[in-house]
Amino acid sequence: MPPNYSVSEENYIKSIHYLQQVNEAVSTSALAEHLNAKPASITEMLKKLQAKGLLLYNPYKTFRLSKEGNKVALIIIRRHRLWEFFLVDKLQFSWEEVHEVAEELEHVRSKKLIDKLDAFLSYPKFDPHGDPIPDANGKINIQQQLPLSRLPLNKQAVITAVQDQSSELLSFLSSLNIVIGTRLEIKRRLAFDNSLEIKCRNKQAVNISEQVAKAIQVNPL
Amino acid sequence: MPPNYSVSEENYIKSIHYLQQVNEAVSTSALAEHLNAKPASITEMLKKLQAKGLLLYNPYKTFRLSKEGNKVALIIIRRHRLWEFFLVDKLQFSWEEVHEVAEELEHVRSKKLIDKLDAFLSYPKFDPHGDPIPDANGKINIQQQLPLSRLPLNKQAVITAVQDQSSELLSFLSSLNIVIGTRLEIKRRLAFDNSLEIKCRNKQAVNISEQVAKAIQVNPL
DNA sequence: TAAATTTTTTAGGTTTGCCTAAAAATTAAT
DNA sequence: ATTAATTTTTAGGCAAACCTAAAAAATTTA
């Protein structure tokens, strides 16, 4: 059976994975900052993770997860994002408040639980923030998805999903001829309310609120 | 906000609560046995729980939970049983395999999570083993329910529910004129297979297997 | 490139929750 | 009512995961 890791070890692995996405290799101080701990504590854990084969590390140098470490990271991310999806989709949490609870749930170590949860949720591909959910083998869907609110100006994208807490939103959007699959780009971002002026192909530009923009998931082209 | 307790503290509280149901007051060695720990470790934690006002305890004497301690116990039991219900009802776990996973889930400390889970499950009154689920205020339905298999000999009880994995069981029982609301008592327990001889009011005694007895929930009178 | 600064590691504590072994209190037996 | 047996507590350690302060290495700057 696969080894189990402590909550603390899991949090280190997750943070290292996160910092690697920005920076390839990670420094002790960056990780200390991210984990809200002192550098001395980080060093200690680095040695432990290396001894377990999860980390590639030489004293006084930067470090990164080993192949095995990355596999473990993806398992934890999978748990986290599936729980987030569950909380929003089934328990009616708003997507701002799920993170903290998912932070605890992600450490419940049962593969069977997570795989059954995945099935129960109909194998969702993205969590409520638009981040992709790794599958049972730790594979992540290459296609990236993000909320329309985070799409750069003038970058074309296709709508892939709409978080329809109320189905009101969906009907509002379809009245604007905005549906899943619609191609669009942002022409202007209004600073005072973060509303967006978006343009669909050859139609006239329309204005949508930040809230709506956050609920729309897009896939940049 | 209400204080939070460590996983270890929660497990002690839960075990003390469990042992109290049988025995009013609990001894160090009984608790050590139940928690699979050494008596010396128990003593240590007892002092901690007493200091926090959860336990009524005098050195060298037996002990029991304070009012506050009981309240905490019921919160933990509520979490545990709701998760068990969720695992069986939504994730299709079989009721034998839920305990271990629920044992981990029960320590996720978010009142909001549990109350929303409760609502999502439509406020179930009993977990898959037939144990009552405390409500959001920690109140337990007075009417106690237990599997027929655990009913003491010659004690009258009324059938309150049948776990009908297959509806086959229900029709088998109704062929014996055993339905929800039927009053019965156990006349004999056969040691070699744990089957029961049960008697309904003024009818003839019938024999049922341990498996069936476990699926029938009763309310002792 | 040598000194100054920053980063990382080492060394030595602390807390939590467990342990063993010995001492103290309680309970049982003669 | 003593003595014997059992139970509980105290005393002193250990591991995990954190900490502070000092030492060592790496990096930057003059």
Side-chain angles (χ1 to χ4, degrees):
Chain A
M1 59 231 75
N4 272 354
Y5 301 103
S6 72
V7 170
S8 210
E9 287 169 329
E10 289 194 350
N11 282 332
Y12 273 77
I13 293 167
K14 201 171 48 129
S15 287
I16 296 169
H17 179 93
Y18 174 79
L19 294 171
Q20 274 184 29
Q21 298 197 300
V22 179
N23 235 319
E24 183 72 34
V26 184
S27 75
T28 302
S29 51
L31 184 54
E33 165 101 356
H34 194 255
L35 278 170
N36 233 297
K38 302 295 159 178
S41 310
I42 304 298
T43 303
E44 217 175 80
M45 184 61 94
L46 294 181
K47 288 191 281 189
K48 214 176 301 180
L49 294 177
Q50 186 189 38
K52 295 191 180 188
L54 301 172
L55 195 69
L56 304 171
Y57 163 62
N58 292 103
Y60 292 104
K61 300 279 169 61
T62 58
F63 45 87
R64 61 197 175 81
L65 293 174
S66 68
K67 200 164 197 172
E68 181 60 24
N70 264 301
K71 252 172 74 180
V72 173
L74 285 171
I75 289 171
I76 303 166
I77 290 168
R78 169 170 161 80
R79 294 190 206 137
H80 183 96
R81 295 185 179 164
L82 280 174
W83 281 119
E84 284 204 345
F85 189 96
F86 169 75
L87 293 172
V88 169
D89 195 58
K90 302 295 185 188
L91 299 197
Q92 322 286 343
F93 274 77
S94 79
W95 60 272
E96 299 95 329
E97 48 184 3
V98 295
H99 189 77
E100 198 188 354
V101 180
E103 211 59 24
E104 280 203 62
L105 285 165
E106 77 186 2
H107 298 296
V108 175
R109 293 169 268 270
S110 162
K111 173 145 176 58
K112 187 164 193 173
L113 169 64
I114 294 304
D115 290 347
K116 279 180 175 273
L117 179 64
D118 196 14
F120 175 60
L121 300 173
S122 308
Y123 307 101
K125 292 280 171 291
F126 298 95
D127 77 10
H129 305 295
D131 296 314
I133 300 174
D135 69 18
N137 303 312
K139 293 238 160 53
I140 237 168
N141 208 312
I142 323 95
Q143 172 182 284
Q144 73 161 317
Q145 187 178 264
L146 71 170
L148 178 55
S149 55
R150 290 206 225 136
L151 185 69
L153 271 188
N154 297 312
K155 178 147 189 89
Q156 289 225 333
V158 169
I159 296 182
T160 52
V162 176
Q163 253 100 43
D164 62 327
Q165 336 257 41
S166 61
S167 63
E168 210 182 357
L169 176 55
L170 274 175
S171 50
F172 164 66
L173 290 175
S174 60
S175 79
L176 295 174
N177 272 327
I178 294 174
V179 297
I180 286 172
T182 299
R183 181 181 299 189
L184 50 69
E185 65 194 276
I186 299 175
K187 301 311 281 180
R188 214 145 67 95
R189 203 178 292 267
L190 303 185
F192 74 99
D193 68 348
N194 282 315
S195 71
L196 304 177
E197 212 172 279
I198 61 172
K199 188 156 183 346
C200 305
R201 299 217 25 115
N202 41 23
K203 275 185 259 146
Q204 235 212 303
V206 295
N207 191 277
I208 63 171
S209 71
E210 183 186 20
Q211 267 202 304
V212 171
K214 277 181 171 169
I216 298 174
Q217 299 296 315
V218 301
N219 170 210
L221 298 176
Chain B
M1 60 230 75
N4 272 353
Y5 302 103
S6 72
V7 170
S8 210
E9 288 169 330
E10 290 194 350
N11 283 330
Y12 273 78
I13 294 167
K14 200 172 48 131
S15 286
I16 296 168
H17 178 94
Y18 174 80
L19 293 171
Q20 272 184 170
Q21 298 197 299
V22 180
N23 236 320
E24 183 73 34
V26 183
S27 74
T28 302
S29 52
L31 185 53
E33 164 101 356
H34 194 255
L35 278 169
N36 233 298
K38 303 293 159 178
S41 310
I42 305 298
T43 303
E44 219 173 78
M45 184 63 94
L46 294 181
K47 288 192 280 189
K48 214 174 303 177
L49 294 177
Q50 186 188 38
K52 295 191 181 188
L54 301 172
L55 195 70
L56 304 171
Y57 163 63
N58 292 103
Y60 292 104
K61 301 277 167 62
T62 58
F63 45 87
R64 60 197 175 83
L65 293 174
S66 68
K67 201 163 197 173
E68 180 61 22
N70 264 301
K71 252 172 73 179
V72 174
L74 284 171
I75 289 171
I76 303 165
I77 290 168
R78 168 169 161 81
R79 294 190 206 138
H80 182 97
R81 294 184 180 166
L82 280 174
W83 281 120
E84 284 204 345
F85 189 95
F86 169 75
L87 293 174
V88 168
D89 196 57
K90 302 295 187 188
L91 299 198
Q92 323 284 345
F93 273 78
S94 79
W95 61 273
E96 300 95 328
E97 49 185 2
V98 294
H99 189 76
E100 198 189 354
V101 180
E103 210 59 24
E104 279 203 62
L105 284 165
E106 77 186 1
H107 298 297
V108 175
R109 294 170 267 270
S110 163
K111 173 143 174 62
K112 187 164 193 175
L113 169 64
I114 294 304
D115 291 347
K116 279 181 175 272
L117 179 64
D118 197 14
F120 174 61
L121 301 174
S122 308
Y123 307 101
K125 292 279 169 294
F126 298 95
D127 79 8
H129 306 294
D131 296 314
I133 300 175
D135 70 19
N137 303 312
K139 294 240 160 53
I140 237 167
N141 208 316
I142 323 95
Q143 171 180 290
Q144 73 162 316
Q145 187 177 265
L146 70 169
L148 177 55
S149 55
R150 290 206 226 134
L151 186 70
L153 271 188
N154 297 313
K155 177 145 189 88
Q156 287 225 334
V158 168
I159 296 182
T160 53
V162 176
Q163 252 100 44
D164 62 328
Q165 335 257 42
S166 62
S167 63
E168 211 183 356
L169 176 57
L170 275 175
S171 50
F172 164 67
L173 290 174
S174 59
S175 80
L176 295 173
N177 273 327
I178 294 173
V179 296
I180 287 173
T182 298
R183 182 181 299 190
L184 50 68
E185 63 194 275
I186 299 175
K187 300 311 281 182
R188 214 144 66 95
R189 201 178 293 267
L190 303 186
F192 73 99
D193 67 348
N194 283 313
S195 70
L196 304 177
E197 211 171 278
I198 62 173
K199 189 155 179 352
C200 305
R201 301 222 17 122
N202 41 21
K203 276 186 260 146
Q204 234 213 302
V206 295
N207 190 278
I208 63 172
S209 72
E210 183 184 21
Q211 265 201 306
V212 171
K214 277 182 169 167
I216 297 174
Q217 300 296 316
V218 301
N219 170 211
L221 298 176

